[in-house]
Amino acid sequence: MNILIIGGGGLIGQKLARALAQNGTLRGVPITQLTLADINDPAPIDAPFPVATARCDIADPASVAATVTDKIDVIYLLAAIVSSHAEEDFDAGMSINLFGTYNVLERCRILGTKPVVVFTSSIAIYGGEAVDPLGDHSYPNPQTSYGAQKAIGEILINDYTRKGFIDGRAFRLPTISVRPGKPNRAASGFMSSILREPLNGQRATCPVAADFEHYYLSPRKCIENLIKGANLDAADLGQNRVMQMPGRTWSIGQMIAAMTEVAGPGPATLIDWTPQPDVQRIVSGWRWDIHAEKAKRLGLTADDSFQDNIRHYLTDDKP
Amino acid sequence: MNILIIGGGGLIGQKLARALAQNGTLRGVPITQLTLADINDPAPIDAPFPVATARCDIADPASVAATVTDKIDVIYLLAAIVSSHAEEDFDAGMSINLFGTYNVLERCRILGTKPVVVFTSSIAIYGGEAVDPLGDHSYPNPQTSYGAQKAIGEILINDYTRKGFIDGRAFRLPTISVRPGKPNRAASGFMSSILREPLNGQRATCPVAADFEHYYLSPRKCIENLIKGANLDAADLGQNRVMQMPGRTWSIGQMIAAMTEVAGPGPATLIDWTPQPDVQRIVSGWRWDIHAEKAKRLGLTADDSFQDNIRHYLTDDKP
Ligand SMILES: NC(=O)c1ccc[n+]([C@@H]2O[C@H](COP(=O)([O-])OP(=O)(O)OC[C@H]3O[C@@H](n4cnc5c(N)ncnc54)[C@H](O)[C@@H]3O)[C@@H](O)[C@H]2O)c1
Ligand SMILES: NC(=O)c1ccc[n+]([C@@H]2O[C@H](COP(=O)([O-])OP(=O)(O)OC[C@H]3O[C@@H](n4cnc5c(N)ncnc54)[C@H](O)[C@@H]3O)[C@@H](O)[C@H]2O)c1
């Protein structure tokens, strides 16, 4: 089993690589090689099998051709730029999120090796005139270019699979919280930082009210689901290879109460409640009445409680 | 009012040009210039205003740049290759139907003139796991590459509009019947030829049973709707610029009965009923439980009866 993670230097790529190193197998077969490809040098990973790192810019077909070889059995296609970045720089979003995805799929088509391709879409594909409740069969009316590019990626995954060029699977990831590390350029950044910074003993600002609701998943569960996603049997997937990944809807107030329950009353006192109308305006269009019927039927799961999300952060990620 | 029809040599492009020539105005403004652009030389059109023809290959950005100038107010983007062609030649479908659409939209973005862009999508975007009844808010799970490329075009039209690069409108056209002229490479070809050939005094073959149902519109109504589509006020369109164009569901038996009612019993006797399993297999996945709520609310209409479709053919098109 030869695995390539494109975007292997990112949060999910690194955690996925570590989980694969621990498991040692994928799709029931021992892993013989793992390659982490990224536009930035990915951090190396300790594993009982060889792990290579490679520079790759998915926006460049030649770079993709050098990275995606006929030896690869499973590709995790995680490389992307996030919503606010793609919204500010339309060109970059199109060349990486849309054409980058296309370049990888085209390379697979030309190789003719029909690899399993696991693509990370996003709940950002929901929006606009899509009707609640949202899920596997919702109309994609995204209100960001990032969401539009992900919705197009989903359609490409389905068509390249239907044509027999790849064995694709696309998962609409919930917002990941608690996301470790430094804040990124996503407008959703506060949904992790109001927990992460206080749990690390630092102050944080909450730009929305306590009753703001959203759809979340912990990094640990996300990785579990991405591994299950590759393991799924093509015969069980039907005509639509795209599905919502399970998550849960919580309000900011519920998340903070969970933090207090797990870590005591201290962290919550480090949150400054400073309404930010520009952030509120963006996130008020985001959707949370989301259901993951197909993925649940196939055995993917969400966290049992937000207390679990907090515990996973403390166990897996707290510096 | 300076209008560009890309795909202006095709069936709909030519009929649209003739209708514009007759009307003399669009969006309430006198037409001062019409350009018909196509990869094949479009037939010239008589009009009370100047009509130019131009060679343009939308798959080639340089050709698009030469054709789409900052003088253009309204673009009809009709150029495409049809379903069976795009299914046989994946590369051609992607470069024309997907990248061709992208090239035109990118040219508009670079010009910064925010033209009205009317895009012709198709009911081929429905399919697979999409849930009946189908319409404006259905999940696009197309089962042809043509349908996938149109579904992507829709998302691009919405995002380029949301960003303020164009004032886009996309209509999912029903199957056009009675389509005049020679059969094309569409698998739906028989849905016109079993009427057109007999009405012209020639034999035709029906590859499916009389109870086969599908969703249709006459060319005349389609053109009317495309003109109304350009006239619509952006303020009435909401967050989703994509909508189903009204049509009606008829069985093959009902269509033939309508032909007999309008043209007498002769034509129906010219139909040979020869089941073709390969055609049946393709069209059995096509969808017909389709509803055009938004477009109807905005004043677009379907034919009143299939008798009308037959009459329009006899009046407008019969050689
Ligand atoms: N984290 C979330 O909340 C979330 C939610 C929904 C979807 N997703 C999706 O999951 C995937 C992974 O997310 P993440 O949280 O690990 O993001 P991340 O930003 O941590 O990682 C993305 C990686 O892609 C790399 N990259 C960017 N442009 C590239 C290019 N042109 N070529 C090659 N590599 C490039 C970056 O260097 C980065 O290492 C992304 O596709 C993202 O859109 C994430
Ligand atoms: N007629 C239908 O039943 C129907 C149904 C749904 C959607 N549509 C869509 O409506 C539009 C017009 O349909 P039509 O029936 O007039 O089709 P048509 O085939 O008669 O016309 C399409 C025109 O596009 C031109 N073209 C093809 N490739 C081109 C390229 N690379 N650059 C420039 N021009 C190119 C062709 O030469 C042709 O003149 C198409 O987008 C089609 O997909 C039609």
Side-chain angles (χ1 to χ4, degrees), chain A:
Chain A
M1 179 59 53
N2 188 328
I3 305 169
L4 171 65
I5 305 180
I6 309 181
L11 166 70
I12 292 173
Q14 288 276 307
K15 280 187 172 281
L16 175 62
R18 268 182 253 123
L20 292 171
Q22 201 166 346
N23 293 358
T25 62
L26 189 68
R27 293 173 65 75
V29 179
I31 301 171
T32 49
Q33 169 76 39
L34 171 64
T35 306
L36 307 178
D38 203 291
I39 198 165
N40 299 313
D41 280 327
I45 295 284
D46 281 330
F49 45 75
V51 180
T53 60
R55 280 278 186 116
C56 171
D57 178 2
I58 58 169
D60 171 14
S63 174
V64 170
T67 307
V68 182
T69 69
D70 60 2
K71 304 282 178 288
I72 308 287
D73 303 301
V74 174
I75 300 173
Y76 281 97
L77 177 43
L78 311 176
I81 59 171
V82 294
S83 52
S84 36
H85 188 176
E87 201 60 27
E88 277 161 34
D89 188 343
F90 185 80
D91 273 317
M94 292 297 270
S95 19
I96 298 171
N97 297 348
L98 195 166
F99 291 104
T101 301
Y102 167 78
N103 290 336
V104 172
L105 298 180
E106 269 297 284
R107 174 64 182 162
C108 295
R109 178 167 81 93
I110 281 152
L111 286 174
T113 47
K114 205 175 162 176
V116 170
V117 177
V118 181
F119 176 71
T120 44
S121 183
S122 164
I123 54 173
I125 71 114
Y126 304 125
E129 298 182 7
V131 182
D132 284 325
L134 301 163
D136 300 325
H137 297 153
S138 288
Y139 176 65
N141 192 197
Q143 298 300 310
T144 57
S145 293
Y146 170 82
Q149 292 146 10
K150 290 289 188 186
I152 291 171
E154 292 184 356
I155 294 171
L156 292 175
I157 290 285
N158 261 336
D159 204 48
Y160 277 72
T161 298
R162 190 187 60 79
K163 293 288 280 184
F165 304 144
I166 62 165
D167 177 355
R169 296 100 200 273
F171 299 94
R172 296 180 188 142
L173 269 53
T175 292
I176 301 301
S177 181
V178 183
R179 186 185 168 94
K182 292 201 212 83
N184 67 5
R185 292 174 75 176
S188 57
F190 73 88
M191 299 177 196
S192 283
S193 61
I194 55 162
L195 306 159
R196 184 184 59 225
E197 266 62 292
L199 286 167
N200 296 351
Q202 287 150 15
R203 300 205 72 84
T205 300
C206 185
V208 302
D211 63 355
F212 175 82
E213 292 187 292
H214 197 62
Y215 192 72
Y216 298 102
L217 189 67
S218 70
R220 194 196 280 190
K221 274 285 168 189
C222 178
I223 301 305
E224 256 182 52
N225 286 332
L226 287 174
I227 290 174
K228 286 182 184 168
N231 287 341
L232 290 174
D233 197 338
D236 294 333
L237 293 173
Q239 290 173 296
N240 181 20
R241 295 306 189 93
V242 180
M243 66 194 91
Q244 178 58 49
M245 183 181 282
R248 277 183 195 276
T249 301
W250 307 106
S251 71
I252 294 286
Q254 289 174 311
M255 294 159 79
I256 293 174
M259 174 168 74
T260 298
E261 198 183 309
V262 173
T269 64
L270 296 170
I271 301 172
D272 301 313
W273 296 84
T274 316
Q276 288 175 7
D278 55 330
V279 176
Q280 281 170 343
R281 194 178 38 74
I282 297 175
V283 300
S284 69
W286 293 8
R287 307 291 280 267
W288 52 266
D289 188 4
I290 296 172
H291 304 266
E293 281 180 42
K294 188 169 191 167
K296 281 187 176 165
R297 205 165 59 233
L298 294 168
L300 279 68
T301 57
D303 304 283
D304 288 327
S305 67
F306 203 80
Q307 283 81 337
D308 275 2
N309 298 51
I310 301 287
R311 281 185 209 108
H312 297 163
Y313 176 73
L314 296 177
T315 316
D316 299 349
D317 295 309
K318 192 177 179 238

Side-chain angles (χ1 to χ4, degrees), chain B residues 262-293:
Chain B
V262 174
T269 64
L270 296 171
I271 301 171
D272 301 314
W273 296 83
T274 314
Q276 288 175 7
D278 55 331
V279 175
Q280 280 168 345
R281 193 179 38 75
I282 297 175
V283 301
S284 69
W286 293 7
R287 307 291 282 265
W288 51 265
D289 187 5
I290 297 172
H291 303 267
E293 282 180 39

